[in-house]
Amino acid sequence: MSSSEVDHLDSEGIKEHHGEIIYDANGFIKKIYRKDSQLNRRIVDSYVGMWKEDKEDFSNKDDNIQKRRENAQTMTNAFYDIVTDFYEYGWGESFHFARGYKGDTFEQSIKRHEQYLAVKLGLNENQRALDVGCGVGGPLREIVRLSGAHITGLNNNGYQVERCKAYAKKLGLEDKSEYIKGDFTTMPRELYGKFDSAYAIEATVHSPKLEMVYGEVFRALKPGGLFATYEWVTTPNFDENNPEHKRIIHGIEEGNSIPSLSSYKQAIDAAKRVGFELIEHEDMAILSECHVPWYMTLKGGFSFNGFRMTRIGRWTTHKFVYLLECLHIAAPGSTEVACFLNKTADALVEGGETGIFTPMFFMLLRKPTTA
């Protein structure tokens, strides 16, 4: 199997790597035990190798960024093949951050963040919506339950698509959802003009350039259709000449398969460039007195429900996975994945504390009725 085939697994390749797809969000040990040892090692090496030229230099040189853009889909496929089980174990079914309110549980914040999009889009049971980069479908299922809309999830990672289907079947949501394996920068033509609305939750950051995915969403919408998105971007506080800022942003990019982060302005300009009308925008990470920082989930101390996401919880998981790999229970490369995810979490916290990064720059966009 070639390196390109490793990163674009077909149904048989998915089964070879991950074993039978199981509906069990808490079956972490079972999932990492079932993985093919040699294939898992090769996929981990494939992803890590794409960043080796940047190990000693955090300046994000143009040639390295261009290489990541050219290999964005391969890179992101490899990334999600190795991190999905860790994300489900530590984060649940929804792989995103959320604006938190004092007194909220983590789960309440996550669900409200998803429901906010449904409200902004005015979704109802008579509409069809597109989830752009749907992960394992946690937000999609929440929005279906709230709105009654039929939602199509688009995802280029075959393993996550199979996880989506397993959840939908188990939870009785097959009639209100469907899942398509596809690249959101080159969507299947049968999706063009099909949807009343679309949304993306911290997903389009994997695109080589935002215009590429925004242009395809524009084509997928009916005239007058709405698109709501939460974007990972740098804020006006980011100083590209500050070495510490560069180090933090590079850590976020490497740990999340991001070719290069855009800024507030670049995200808005990209949306307008492909034809969208900007209705509203807001950095939802900016706090008022009733809010708590979005990164506290990663930084916070012990809590029973959120322990796995905290520093000590992540450290414990890392050591546990190391033990499992030594005992040949976890597939080779699992410890390395746990390690770089820990480093990524620390970079995200630094990005939040310095105010140079936000994972929730909200934009509500409209395709003109005349388009």
Side-chain angles (χ1 to χ4, degrees):
M1 184 176 289
S2 69
S3 60
S4 62
E5 289 171 328
V6 162
D7 299 318
H8 295 279
L9 301 176
D10 58 17
S11 58
E12 289 303 313
I14 293 167
K15 185 181 292 186
E16 179 186 353
H17 181 204
H18 300 284
E20 293 293 335
I21 305 300
I22 56 173
Y23 169 79
D24 186 354
N26 296 314
F28 179 62
I29 296 177
K30 187 186 299 183
K31 291 175 192 172
I32 61 175
Y33 172 73
R34 294 166 70 95
K35 297 199 186 305
D36 180 88
S37 296
Q38 292 184 358
L39 191 50
N40 196 71
R41 176 75 264 175
R42 289 167 63 184
I43 294 176
V44 172
D45 290 344
S46 173
Y47 181 75
V48 173
M50 294 178 196
W51 296 87
K52 62 182 180 181
E53 293 183 21
D54 292 316
K55 285 299 182 186
E56 303 300 328
D57 182 2
F58 301 120
S59 63
N60 272 349
K61 293 179 180 178
D62 290 343
D63 55 344
N64 290 340
I65 292 174
Q66 183 58 33
K67 287 180 183 177
R68 292 197 290 271
R69 284 177 170 156
E70 290 172 356
N71 294 284
Q73 299 305 330
T74 297
M75 181 172 70
T76 301
N77 251 308
F79 176 75
Y80 280 115
D81 270 325
I82 60 178
V83 305
T84 294
D85 295 331
F86 285 86
Y87 277 11
E88 283 196 85
Y89 170 74
W91 213 254
E93 301 169 27
S94 298
F95 303 164
H96 62 83
F97 294 99
R99 170 182 272 178
Y101 287 81
K102 293 178 180 177
D104 268 359
T105 64
F106 173 74
E107 291 77 11
Q108 286 171 331
S109 297
I110 288 291
K111 288 183 181 297
R112 184 184 301 112
H113 207 60
E114 295 163 357
Q115 293 167 354
Y116 183 79
L117 296 182
V119 172
K120 284 293 184 178
L121 293 172
L123 292 178
N124 60 55
E125 64 275 7
N126 298 315
Q127 294 184 325
R128 299 183 70 92
L130 177 67
D131 184 322
V132 184
C134 64
V136 297
L140 185 156
R141 291 186 290 276
E142 179 64 24
I143 293 173
V144 165
R145 293 182 183 112
L146 175 71
S147 68
H150 184 283
I151 303 182
T152 297
L154 181 66
N155 190 328
N156 204 29
N157 182 263
Y159 179 51
Q160 290 194 340
V161 170
E162 294 303 315
R163 300 288 300 133
C164 286
K165 292 177 180 177
Y167 276 115
K169 182 176 181 180
K170 181 70 175 183
L171 300 176
L173 294 174
E174 291 177 288
D175 291 343
K176 299 296 292 184
S177 62
E178 66 176 330
Y179 304 94
I180 297 174
K181 184 182 184 301
D183 177 357
F184 57 31
T185 66
T186 54
M187 291 186 191
R189 294 188 65 86
E190 59 265 27
L191 298 185
Y192 289 179
K194 182 177 180 178
F195 299 99
D196 302 289
S197 300
Y199 64 86
I201 303 179
E202 303 180 21
T204 60
V205 70
H206 298 305
S207 177
K209 292 185 178 181
L210 288 176
E211 290 91 338
M212 295 173 69
V213 61
Y214 288 172
E216 288 295 274
V217 174
F218 188 89
R219 296 180 185 97
L221 288 171
K222 298 175 182 177
L226 296 176
F227 175 42
T229 181
Y230 293 128
E231 293 296 343
W232 283 34
V233 294
T234 59
T235 75
N237 295 325
F238 172 62
D239 179 1
E240 62 182 12
N241 296 313
N242 184 318
E244 272 298 286
H245 286 191
K246 295 287 284 186
R247 177 189 63 79
I248 293 168
I249 294 302
H250 184 275
I252 293 171
E253 291 169 341
E254 179 179 0
N256 292 278
S257 186
I258 302 169
S260 181
L261 280 169
S262 300
S263 66
Y264 280 6
K265 183 177 185 301
Q266 288 169 333
I268 292 173
D269 288 348
K272 290 180 177 179
R273 197 171 294 123
V274 303
F276 277 116
E277 299 170 347
L278 180 65
I279 300 174
E280 60 180 280
H281 64 91
E282 176 190 5
D283 182 357
M284 297 182 71
I286 296 176
L287 305 178
S288 68
E289 290 185 1
C290 64
H291 295 131
V292 294
W294 60 267
Y295 52 84
M296 287 305 295
T297 304
L298 296 173
K299 183 182 179 182
F302 178 82
S303 66
F304 182 76
N305 289 330
F307 173 68
R308 295 170 181 172
M309 294 174 280
T310 63
R311 280 195 174 122
I312 188 171
R314 290 184 278 109
W315 179 87
T316 302
T317 298
H318 177 221
K319 297 303 180 185
F320 179 55
V321 171
Y322 172 74
L323 175 62
L324 293 177
E325 190 169 336
C326 289
L327 295 173
H328 303 288
I329 296 173
S334 298
T335 305
E336 192 170 352
V337 175
C339 182
F340 86 66
L341 288 178
N342 278 347
K343 293 179 180 178
T344 303
D346 291 339
L348 287 164
V349 170
E350 288 183 287
E353 289 181 328
T354 57
I356 64 174
F357 165 78
T358 176
M360 54 189 75
F361 182 63
F362 172 75
M363 292 190 294
L364 182 62
L365 309 163
R366 178 188 289 118
K367 180 175 180 176
T369 56
T370 55

